Amino acid sequence: MSEFEKTDPSKFLSDIIGSSVIVKLQNGINYTGNLQTIDGYMNVVLDNAKECSNGKVVRDYGDVFIRGNNVLYISEA
Amino acid sequence: MSEFEKTDPSKFLSDIIGSSVIVKLQNGINYTGNLQTIDGYMNVVLDNAKECSNGKVVRDYGDVFIRGNNVLYISEA
Amino acid sequence: MSEFEKTDPSKFLSDIIGSSVIVKLQNGINYTGNLQTIDGYMNVVLDNAKECSNGKVVRDYGDVFIRGNNVLYISEA
Amino acid sequence: MSEFEKTDPSKFLSDIIGSSVIVKLQNGINYTGNLQTIDGYMNVVLDNAKECSNGKVVRDYGDVFIRGNNVLYISEA
Amino acid sequence: MSEFEKTDPSKFLSDIIGSSVIVKLQNGINYTGNLQTIDGYMNVVLDNAKECSNGKVVRDYGDVFIRGNNVLYISEA
Amino acid sequence: MSEFEKTDPSKFLSDIIGSSVIVKLQNGINYTGNLQTIDGYMNVVLDNAKECSNGKVVRDYGDVFIRGNNVLYISEA
Amino acid sequence: MSEFEKTDPSKFLSDIIGSSVIVKLQNGINYTGNLQTIDGYMNVVLDNAKECSNGKVVRDYGDVFIRGNNVLYISEA
């Protein structure tokens, strides 16, 4: 068993399901929305999702599925 | 079992099979069309597919198979 | 079993074996030809293959094996 | 058994859980914060996280989940 | 079993072992030579190998082992 | 059994644990320090680590964990 | 069993252990030296290793461990 078993970042993600989050992708694009669901590959579904650039909303999405391997970080908005 | 088992983004994707969707790829190209099928690798088949750039259709495809590891996000059109 | 088991994009690819197809790669190059065979890694063999750029044939190949992880999309020509 | 079994870098990471760390990403961005949790994929949760550029704080995050495959290095602040 | 089991691109590659081939890499470099051996990862050994650029030989190699994950396509010369 | 079983590069790495090494990353940055530990993924912990650029020390780290998939090469300093 | 089992590029690599080789990396850098060991991931240890650029030696290494996933090709010097 790896050293880390006693702690698990996915607990953090489970705890923020339903919250308003910022998802930054590796290509620099930010998405905000409510974290509807997330899986072990970091695939994320946001509802009421918006694409932001330099703090301004550039696009509204409603629900959006974001593929996990593009994710850089996820934080609470 | 990971923390996330109780929620699953693939449910969102199953629910929108048959709907009109936007598939954005990592290279920035957008495809719209009806989501015919999708698998666990995010390989996607769209019918009546169009390639869009800056909101204009640049190309019509009919049916197109898009390889999953290029996908950035999928949202309902 | 994932949500998607009931639908499978590879059925689409099997159905177009023998047809004339366009294979676009991640680097932007297009190949046209008859889809001879394809495997689960999206490795593709085209016969009578041509490399196209801006709609013009830039090169004839005869048979060509294209490695799957370069594939962006496959559509019927 | 590989030659390395007797030594294990993850021990180093377990030992610094709770400490103030610097996490540098492949895209050059630095994050500082307290290392809350980390898993075998190097997924990291920092609390009191800040994004720094050229030694200056450019953004405050509170808690942030950083996806492991973007990590370049982790060191104690 | 996937839809494709009945057809297999690796048959094409086995059939051209011993033939003169062109191996194009993702970085755009072309290698010609006789296909000595190839494995399931597309690792390739060419003998009498030459590096070509714009149709001219820029370098002679004798035998060269080319790592599979760099391969874009393989065709008969 | 693969052809290589009789020889194993990881033996080389085990033998230099404790030595002063240079670790070059794919992004061109060099790190020097004492090789404290290394695992099968090439995750490396250096102590007394320094970041060097054009032969000059640009930063002191103390202990640093470097993620294996960024490593280009490791040599004795 | 895949079509290729009867032929195996790793045989070529085993046969050149101890020989003087050129290892070209994906980033274009060439290393020459004696092939000391190599494993199934193409991790390579060269002794008496030199970094070459445009045919000139730019650096001497003694022994160097090069991580396999950076390797473009390996040929006899």
Side-chain angles (χ1 to χ4, degrees):
Chain A
M1 279 248 283
S2 136
E3 285 285 319
F4 307 135
E5 291 312 306
K6 60 184 182 301
T7 63
D8 181 351
S10 61
K11 171 98 178 48
F12 168 78
L13 293 174
S14 306
D15 291 348
I16 60 173
I17 286 179
S19 310
S20 176
V21 294
I22 300 166
V23 178
K24 181 157 186 167
L25 302 192
Q26 291 166 337
N27 63 6
I29 298 180
N30 274 343
Y31 295 91
T32 63
N34 298 318
L35 180 58
Q36 216 187 63
T37 60
I38 183 166
D39 67 18
Y41 300 102
M42 303 308 142
N43 294 318
V44 170
V45 174
L46 300 180
D47 60 46
N48 195 8
K50 303 180 194 315
E51 184 178 320
C52 305
S53 186
N54 301 324
K56 271 180 253 129
V57 174
V58 298
R59 189 162 176 164
D60 261 291
Y61 285 99
D63 294 356
V64 68
F65 170 97
I66 298 173
R67 209 161 139 266
N69 76 341
N70 301 296
V71 170
L72 191 72
Y73 69 66
I74 299 173
S75 75
E76 287 193 270
Chain B
M1 277 249 282
S2 138
E3 286 284 319
F4 307 134
E5 290 312 306
K6 61 185 182 301
T7 63
D8 182 351
S10 61
K11 173 100 177 47
F12 168 77
L13 293 174
S14 306
D15 291 349
I16 60 173
I17 287 180
S19 311
S20 176
V21 295
I22 301 166
V23 178
K24 181 158 186 166
L25 302 191
Q26 291 167 335
N27 63 6
I29 297 181
N30 274 342
Y31 295 90
T32 64
N34 298 318
L35 180 59
Q36 217 187 63
T37 61
I38 182 166
D39 66 19
Y41 300 103
M42 304 308 142
N43 293 318
V44 169
V45 174
L46 300 180
D47 60 46
N48 195 9
K50 302 179 195 315
E51 185 178 320
C52 305
S53 186
N54 301 322
K56 271 180 253 129
V57 174
V58 297
R59 189 163 175 164
D60 262 292
Y61 285 99
D63 294 355
V64 67
F65 169 97
I66 298 173
R67 208 162 140 268
N69 77 342
N70 301 295
V71 170
L72 191 72
Y73 68 67
I74 300 173
S75 74
E76 286 193 270
Chain C
M1 279 250 281
S2 137
E3 286 284 319
F4 308 133
E5 289 312 307
K6 60 185 182 302
T7 63
D8 182 351
S10 62
K11 173 98 177 49
F12 168 77
L13 293 174
S14 306
D15 292 348
I16 60 173
I17 287 180
S19 311
S20 176
V21 295
I22 300 165
V23 178
K24 181 159 187 166
L25 303 191
Q26 291 166 337
N27 63 6
I29 297 181
N30 274 342
Y31 295 91
T32 63
N34 298 317
L35 179 59
Q36 217 187 64
T37 62
I38 182 166
D39 65 19
Y41 301 103
M42 303 307 141
N43 294 318
V44 169
V45 174
L46 301 181
D47 59 46
N48 194 8
K50 303 180 194 319
E51 184 178 320
C52 305
S53 185
N54 300 321
K56 273 182 249 122
V57 174
V58 297
R59 190 165 174 161
D60 262 291
Y61 285 98
D63 294 356
V64 68
F65 170 97
I66 298 172
R67 209 163 139 265
N69 77 342
N70 302 294
V71 170
L72 191 71
Y73 69 66
I74 300 174
S75 73
E76 287 192 271
Chain D
M1 281 251 281
S2 136
E3 285 286 319
F4 308 133
E5 291 311 306
K6 61 184 181 299
T7 63
D8 182 352
S10 62
K11 172 96 178 47
F12 169 78
L13 293 174
S14 305
D15 291 349
I16 61 173
I17 285 179
S19 310
S20 176
V21 295
I22 300 166
V23 178
K24 182 158 187 168
L25 301 191
Q26 290 166 337
N27 63 5
I29 298 180
N30 273 343
Y31 295 90
T32 63
N34 298 318
L35 180 58
Q36 217 187 64
T37 61
I38 183 166
D39 67 18
Y41 299 102
M42 304 308 142
N43 294 319
V44 170
V45 174
L46 300 180
D47 60 45
N48 195 8
K50 303 180 193 316
E51 184 178 320
C52 305
S53 186
N54 301 323
K56 272 182 250 124
V57 174
V58 298
R59 189 161 175 167
D60 261 290
Y61 284 98
D63 294 355
V64 68
F65 170 98
I66 297 173
R67 211 163 138 267
N69 76 342
N70 302 295
V71 170
L72 189 72
Y73 69 66
I74 300 173
S75 75
E76 286 192 270
Chain E
M1 280 250 281
S2 138
E3 287 285 319
F4 308 133
E5 290 313 304
K6 60 185 182 303
T7 64
D8 182 351
S10 62
K11 172 94 176 52
F12 168 78
L13 293 174
S14 306
D15 292 349
I16 60 172
I17 287 180
S19 310
S20 175
V21 296
I22 300 165
V23 178
K24 181 159 187 166
L25 302 191
Q26 291 167 335
N27 63 6
I29 298 181
N30 275 342
Y31 295 90
T32 63
N34 299 317
L35 180 58
Q36 217 187 65
T37 61
I38 182 166
D39 65 19
Y41 301 103
M42 303 308 142
N43 294 318
V44 169
V45 174
L46 299 181
D47 59 46
N48 194 9
K50 302 181 193 321
E51 184 178 320
C52 305
S53 185
N54 300 321
K56 272 183 248 123
V57 174
V58 298
R59 189 163 175 163
D60 261 291
Y61 285 99
D63 294 355
V64 68
F65 169 97
I66 297 173
R67 208 161 141 268
N69 76 343
N70 302 295
V71 170
L72 190 72
Y73 69 66
I74 299 174
S75 75
E76 287 193 86
Chain F
M1 281 251 281
S2 136
E3 287 285 319
F4 308 133
E5 289 312 306
K6 61 185 181 299
T7 64
D8 183 351
S10 63
K11 172 93 178 49
F12 168 78
L13 293 174
S14 305
D15 291 349
I16 61 173
I17 286 180
S19 309
S20 176
V21 296
I22 299 165
V23 178
K24 182 158 187 167
L25 302 191
Q26 290 166 338
N27 63 6
I29 298 180
N30 273 343
Y31 295 90
T32 63
N34 298 318
L35 180 57
Q36 217 187 65
T37 61
I38 183 166
D39 66 18
Y41 299 102
M42 305 305 143
N43 294 318
V44 170
V45 174
L46 300 180
D47 59 45
N48 196 8
K50 303 179 193 318
E51 184 178 322
C52 305
S53 186
N54 301 323
K56 272 183 249 123
V57 174
V58 297
R59 189 160 177 166
D60 262 290
Y61 284 98
D63 294 355
V64 69
F65 170 97
I66 297 174
R67 210 162 139 269
N69 75 342
N70 302 294
V71 170
L72 190 71
Y73 70 64
I74 300 173
S75 75
E76 287 193 88
Chain G
M1 279 252 282
S2 138
E3 287 285 318
F4 308 134
E5 290 313 305
K6 60 185 181 303
T7 64
D8 182 350
S10 63
K11 171 93 177 52
F12 168 78
L13 293 173
S14 305
D15 292 348
I16 61 173
I17 286 180
S19 310
S20 174
V21 296
I22 300 165
V23 178
K24 181 159 187 165
L25 302 192
Q26 290 166 338
N27 63 6
I29 298 181
N30 274 343
Y31 295 90
T32 63
N34 298 318
L35 181 57
Q36 215 188 66
T37 62
I38 183 166
D39 66 18
Y41 300 102
M42 304 306 142
N43 294 318
V44 169
V45 174
L46 300 181
D47 60 46
N48 196 8
K50 302 180 193 319
E51 184 178 319
C52 304
S53 186
N54 301 320
K56 272 184 247 119
V57 174
V58 297
R59 188 161 176 167
D60 262 289
Y61 285 97
D63 294 354
V64 68
F65 170 98
I66 297 173
R67 210 162 138 268
N69 75 343
N70 302 295
V71 170
L72 190 72
Y73 69 65
I74 300 173
S75 74
E76 288 193 87

Coordinates of all heavy atoms in Angstrom, one line a residue, chain D residues 5-58:
Chain D
E5 N 12.9 -0.9 -4.8 CA 11.9 -1.1 -3.7 C 12.3 -0.6 -2.4 O 11.6 -0.1 -1.6 CB 11.5 -2.6 -3.7 CG 10.8 -3.1 -4.9 CD 9.6 -2.2 -5.3 OE1 8.7 -1.9 -4.4 OE2 9.5 -1.7 -6.4
K6 N 13.7 -0.7 -2.1 CA 14.1 -0.4 -0.7 C 14.0 1.1 -0.5 O 14.0 1.6 0.7 CB 15.5 -0.9 -0.5 CG 16.6 -0.2 -1.4 CD 18.0 -0.9 -1.2 CE 19.1 -0.2 -2.1 NZ 18.8 -0.4 -3.5
T7 N 13.8 2.0 -1.5 CA 13.7 3.4 -1.3 C 12.5 3.9 -2.0 O 12.1 3.3 -3.0 CB 14.9 4.1 -1.9 OG1 14.9 3.9 -3.3 CG2 16.3 3.6 -1.3
D8 N 11.8 5.0 -1.4 CA 10.5 5.3 -2.1 C 10.2 6.8 -1.9 O 10.0 7.3 -0.8 CB 9.4 4.5 -1.4 CG 8.1 4.7 -2.0 OD1 8.0 5.7 -2.8 OD2 7.1 4.0 -1.6
P9 N 10.3 7.6 -3.0 CA 10.1 9.0 -3.0 C 8.7 9.4 -2.3 O 8.6 10.5 -1.7 CB 10.1 9.4 -4.4 CG 10.9 8.4 -5.1 CD 10.6 7.1 -4.4
S10 N 7.7 8.5 -2.3 CA 6.4 8.9 -1.8 C 6.6 9.1 -0.3 O 5.8 9.8 0.4 CB 5.4 7.8 -2.1 OG 5.7 6.6 -1.5
K11 N 7.6 8.5 0.4 CA 7.8 8.7 1.8 C 8.1 10.1 2.1 O 7.6 10.7 3.0 CB 9.0 7.8 2.2 CG 9.5 8.0 3.7 CD 8.9 7.0 4.6 CE 9.5 7.2 6.1 NZ 9.5 8.7 6.5
F12 N 8.9 10.7 1.1 CA 9.2 12.1 1.3 C 7.9 13.0 1.2 O 7.8 13.9 2.0 CB 10.2 12.5 0.1 CG 10.3 14.0 -0.1 CD1 11.2 14.7 0.8 CD2 9.6 14.7 -1.0 CE1 11.4 16.1 0.6 CE2 9.8 16.1 -1.2 CZ 10.7 16.8 -0.4
L13 N 7.0 12.6 0.3 CA 5.8 13.4 0.2 C 4.9 13.2 1.4 O 4.3 14.2 1.9 CB 5.1 13.0 -1.1 CG 5.8 13.4 -2.4 CD1 5.1 12.8 -3.6 CD2 6.0 14.9 -2.5
S14 N 4.8 12.0 1.9 CA 4.0 11.8 3.1 C 4.5 12.7 4.3 O 3.8 13.3 5.0 CB 4.1 10.3 3.6 OG 3.7 9.5 2.5
D15 N 5.9 12.7 4.4 CA 6.5 13.4 5.5 C 6.2 14.9 5.4 O 6.3 15.6 6.5 CB 8.0 13.2 5.5 CG 8.3 11.7 5.8 OD1 7.4 11.0 6.3 OD2 9.5 11.3 5.6
I16 N 5.9 15.5 4.3 CA 5.7 16.9 4.2 C 4.2 17.3 4.2 O 3.9 18.4 4.0 CB 6.5 17.6 3.0 CG1 6.0 17.0 1.7 CG2 8.0 17.4 3.2 CD1 6.7 17.8 0.5
I17 N 3.3 16.3 4.3 CA 1.9 16.6 4.4 C 1.7 17.6 5.6 O 2.3 17.3 6.7 CB 1.0 15.3 4.6 CG1 1.0 14.6 3.2 CG2 -0.4 15.7 5.1 CD1 0.2 13.4 3.2
G18 N 1.0 18.7 5.4 CA 0.8 19.6 6.5 C 1.8 20.8 6.4 O 1.5 21.9 6.9
S19 N 2.9 20.6 5.7 CA 3.9 21.6 5.5 C 3.5 22.6 4.5 O 2.7 22.3 3.6 CB 5.3 21.0 5.2 OG 5.6 20.0 6.0
S20 N 4.2 23.8 4.5 CA 4.1 24.8 3.4 C 5.0 24.3 2.2 O 6.2 24.0 2.4 CB 4.5 26.1 3.9 OG 4.4 27.1 2.9
V21 N 4.4 24.2 1.1 CA 5.1 23.7 -0.1 C 5.0 24.6 -1.3 O 4.1 25.5 -1.4 CB 4.6 22.3 -0.5 CG1 4.9 21.2 0.6 CG2 3.2 22.3 -0.9
I22 N 5.9 24.4 -2.2 CA 5.8 25.0 -3.6 C 5.5 23.9 -4.6 O 6.2 22.8 -4.5 CB 7.1 25.7 -4.0 CG1 7.5 26.8 -3.0 CG2 7.0 26.2 -5.4 CD1 8.9 27.2 -3.1
V23 N 4.5 24.0 -5.4 CA 4.2 23.0 -6.4 C 4.4 23.7 -7.8 O 3.7 24.7 -8.1 CB 2.7 22.5 -6.3 CG1 2.5 21.5 -7.4 CG2 2.5 21.8 -5.0
K24 N 5.4 23.3 -8.5 CA 5.6 23.9 -9.8 C 4.9 23.0 -10.9 O 5.1 21.8 -10.8 CB 7.1 24.1 -10.1 CG 7.3 24.8 -11.5 CD 8.6 25.4 -11.6 CE 8.8 26.3 -12.9 NZ 10.0 27.1 -12.8
L25 N 4.2 23.6 -11.8 CA 3.5 22.8 -12.9 C 4.4 22.9 -14.2 O 5.2 23.7 -14.3 CB 2.1 23.4 -13.1 CG 1.2 23.4 -12.0 CD1 -0.3 23.6 -12.4 CD2 1.2 22.0 -11.2
Q26 N 4.1 22.0 -15.1 CA 4.8 21.9 -16.3 C 4.7 23.2 -17.1 O 5.6 23.5 -17.9 CB 4.3 20.7 -17.1 CG 4.7 19.3 -16.5 CD 4.0 18.2 -17.1 OE1 2.9 18.3 -17.7 NE2 4.6 17.0 -17.0
N27 N 3.6 23.9 -16.9 CA 3.4 25.1 -17.7 C 4.1 26.3 -17.1 O 4.0 27.5 -17.5 CB 1.9 25.4 -17.9 CG 1.2 25.7 -16.5 OD1 1.9 25.7 -15.5 ND2 -0.1 25.8 -16.5
G28 N 4.9 26.0 -16.0 CA 5.7 27.1 -15.4 C 5.1 27.8 -14.2 O 5.7 28.6 -13.5
I29 N 3.8 27.6 -14.0 CA 3.1 28.3 -12.9 C 3.5 27.7 -11.6 O 3.5 26.4 -11.4 CB 1.5 28.3 -13.1 CG1 1.1 29.0 -14.4 CG2 0.8 28.9 -11.9 CD1 -0.3 29.0 -14.7
N30 N 3.7 28.5 -10.6 CA 4.0 28.1 -9.2 C 2.8 28.2 -8.3 O 2.1 29.3 -8.4 CB 5.1 29.0 -8.6 CG 6.5 28.4 -9.0 OD1 6.6 27.3 -9.4 ND2 7.5 29.3 -8.8
Y31 N 2.5 27.3 -7.4 CA 1.5 27.4 -6.4 C 2.1 27.1 -5.1 O 2.9 26.2 -4.9 CB 0.4 26.4 -6.6 CG -0.4 26.6 -7.9 CD1 0.0 26.0 -9.1 CD2 -1.5 27.5 -8.0 CE1 -0.6 26.2 -10.3 CE2 -2.1 27.7 -9.1 CZ -1.7 27.1 -10.3 OH -2.4 27.4 -11.5
T32 N 1.8 28.0 -4.1 CA 2.3 27.7 -2.7 C 1.0 27.5 -1.9 O -0.1 28.0 -2.2 CB 3.0 28.9 -2.2 OG1 2.1 30.1 -2.1 CG2 4.2 29.3 -3.0
G33 N 1.2 26.8 -0.8 CA 0.1 26.5 0.1 C 0.5 25.4 1.1 O 1.6 24.9 1.0
N34 N -0.4 25.0 1.9 CA -0.2 23.9 2.8 C -0.6 22.6 2.1 O -1.7 22.5 1.6 CB -0.9 24.0 4.2 CG -0.4 25.3 4.9 OD1 0.8 25.6 4.9 ND2 -1.4 26.1 5.4
L35 N 0.3 21.6 2.1 CA 0.0 20.3 1.5 C -1.0 19.6 2.3 O -0.7 19.0 3.4 CB 1.3 19.5 1.3 CG 1.1 18.1 0.6 CD1 0.5 18.3 -0.8 CD2 2.4 17.4 0.5
Q36 N -2.3 19.6 1.9 CA -3.4 18.9 2.7 C -3.4 17.4 2.4 O -3.3 16.6 3.3 CB -4.7 19.5 2.3 CG -5.7 19.7 3.4 CD -7.1 20.1 2.8 OE1 -7.7 19.3 2.1 NE2 -7.5 21.3 3.2
T37 N -3.4 17.1 1.2 CA -3.4 15.6 0.8 C -2.8 15.4 -0.5 O -2.7 16.4 -1.3 CB -4.9 15.0 0.7 OG1 -5.5 15.8 -0.3 CG2 -5.6 15.2 2.0
I38 N -2.3 14.2 -0.8 CA -1.7 13.9 -2.1 C -1.9 12.4 -2.3 O -2.1 11.6 -1.3 CB -0.2 14.2 -2.1 CG1 0.5 13.9 -3.4 CG2 0.6 13.5 -1.0 CD1 1.9 14.5 -3.6
D39 N -2.1 12.0 -3.6 CA -2.3 10.5 -3.8 C -1.3 10.0 -4.8 O -0.4 10.7 -5.2 CB -3.8 10.3 -4.4 CG -4.0 10.9 -5.8 OD1 -3.0 11.2 -6.5 OD2 -5.1 11.1 -6.2
G40 N -1.4 8.7 -5.1 CA -0.4 8.1 -5.9 C -0.2 8.6 -7.3 O 0.8 8.4 -7.9
Y41 N -1.2 9.4 -7.8 CA -1.1 10.0 -9.1 C -0.5 11.4 -9.0 O -0.6 12.2 -9.9 CB -2.5 10.0 -9.7 CG -3.2 8.7 -9.9 CD1 -4.2 8.3 -9.1 CD2 -2.8 7.9 -11.0 CE1 -4.8 7.1 -9.3 CE2 -3.4 6.6 -11.1 CZ -4.4 6.2 -10.3 OH -5.0 5.0 -10.4
M42 N -0.1 11.8 -7.8 CA 0.4 13.1 -7.5 C -0.7 14.2 -7.6 O -0.4 15.4 -7.7 CB 1.5 13.5 -8.5 CG 2.7 12.6 -8.5 SD 3.4 12.3 -6.9 CE 3.9 10.6 -7.1
N43 N -2.0 13.7 -7.6 CA -3.1 14.7 -7.4 C -2.8 15.3 -6.0 O -2.6 14.6 -5.0 CB -4.4 14.0 -7.4 CG -4.7 13.5 -8.8 OD1 -4.5 14.1 -9.8 ND2 -5.3 12.3 -8.8
V44 N -2.9 16.7 -5.9 CA -2.5 17.4 -4.7 C -3.7 18.3 -4.3 O -4.3 18.9 -5.1 CB -1.3 18.3 -5.0 CG1 -1.0 19.2 -3.9 CG2 -0.1 17.4 -5.3
V45 N -4.0 18.4 -3.0 CA -4.9 19.4 -2.5 C -4.1 20.3 -1.6 O -3.4 19.9 -0.7 CB -6.1 18.8 -1.7 CG1 -6.9 20.0 -1.0 CG2 -6.9 18.0 -2.6
L46 N -4.1 21.6 -1.9 CA -3.4 22.6 -1.1 C -4.5 23.5 -0.4 O -5.5 23.8 -1.1 CB -2.5 23.6 -2.0 CG -1.4 23.0 -2.8 CD1 -0.7 24.1 -3.6 CD2 -0.4 22.2 -1.9
D47 N -4.3 23.8 0.8 CA -5.2 24.8 1.4 C -4.4 26.1 1.6 O -3.1 26.1 1.6 CB -5.9 24.4 2.6 CG -5.0 24.0 3.8 OD1 -4.0 24.8 4.1 OD2 -5.2 22.9 4.4
N48 N -5.1 27.2 1.6 CA -4.5 28.5 1.7 C -3.6 28.7 0.5 O -2.4 29.2 0.6 CB -3.8 28.7 3.0 CG -3.4 30.1 3.3 OD1 -3.9 31.0 2.6 ND2 -2.6 30.4 4.3
A49 N -4.1 28.3 -0.7 CA -3.2 28.2 -1.9 C -3.1 29.6 -2.6 O -4.1 30.3 -2.6 CB -3.8 27.2 -2.8
K50 N -1.9 29.9 -3.1 CA -1.7 31.1 -3.8 C -1.0 30.8 -5.1 O -0.1 29.9 -5.1 CB -0.9 32.1 -3.0 CG -1.5 32.5 -1.7 CD -0.6 33.4 -0.9 CE -1.0 33.6 0.6 NZ -2.4 33.7 0.8
E51 N -1.3 31.5 -6.2 CA -0.6 31.4 -7.5 C 0.4 32.5 -7.5 O 0.1 33.6 -7.2 CB -1.6 31.5 -8.6 CG -0.9 31.3 -10.0 CD -2.0 31.4 -11.1 OE1 -3.1 30.9 -11.0 OE2 -1.7 32.0 -12.2
C52 N 1.7 32.1 -7.8 CA 2.8 33.1 -7.7 C 3.4 33.2 -9.1 O 3.5 32.2 -9.8 CB 3.8 32.7 -6.7 SG 3.2 32.4 -5.1
S53 N 3.9 34.4 -9.4 CA 4.6 34.6 -10.7 C 5.7 35.6 -10.4 O 5.4 36.7 -9.9 CB 3.6 35.1 -11.7 OG 4.3 35.2 -13.0
N54 N 6.9 35.2 -10.7 CA 8.1 36.0 -10.4 C 8.1 36.5 -9.0 O 8.3 37.7 -8.7 CB 8.1 37.2 -11.4 CG 8.2 36.8 -12.8 OD1 8.9 35.8 -13.1 ND2 7.4 37.5 -13.7
G55 N 7.7 35.6 -8.0 CA 7.8 35.9 -6.6 C 6.6 36.7 -6.1 O 6.5 36.9 -4.9
K56 N 5.7 37.1 -7.0 CA 4.6 37.9 -6.4 C 3.3 37.0 -6.5 O 3.1 36.2 -7.4 CB 4.3 39.1 -7.3 CG 5.2 40.3 -6.8 CD 4.9 41.6 -7.6 CE 6.2 41.9 -8.4 NZ 5.9 42.0 -9.8
V57 N 2.4 37.2 -5.5 CA 1.1 36.5 -5.5 C 0.2 37.1 -6.5 O 0.0 38.3 -6.5 CB 0.5 36.6 -4.1 CG1 -0.9 35.9 -4.1 CG2 1.3 35.9 -3.0
V58 N -0.2 36.3 -7.5 CA -1.2 36.9 -8.5 C -2.6 36.4 -8.2 O -3.5 37.0 -8.8 CB -0.7 36.4 -9.9 CG1 0.6 37.0 -10.2 CG2 -0.7 34.9 -10.1

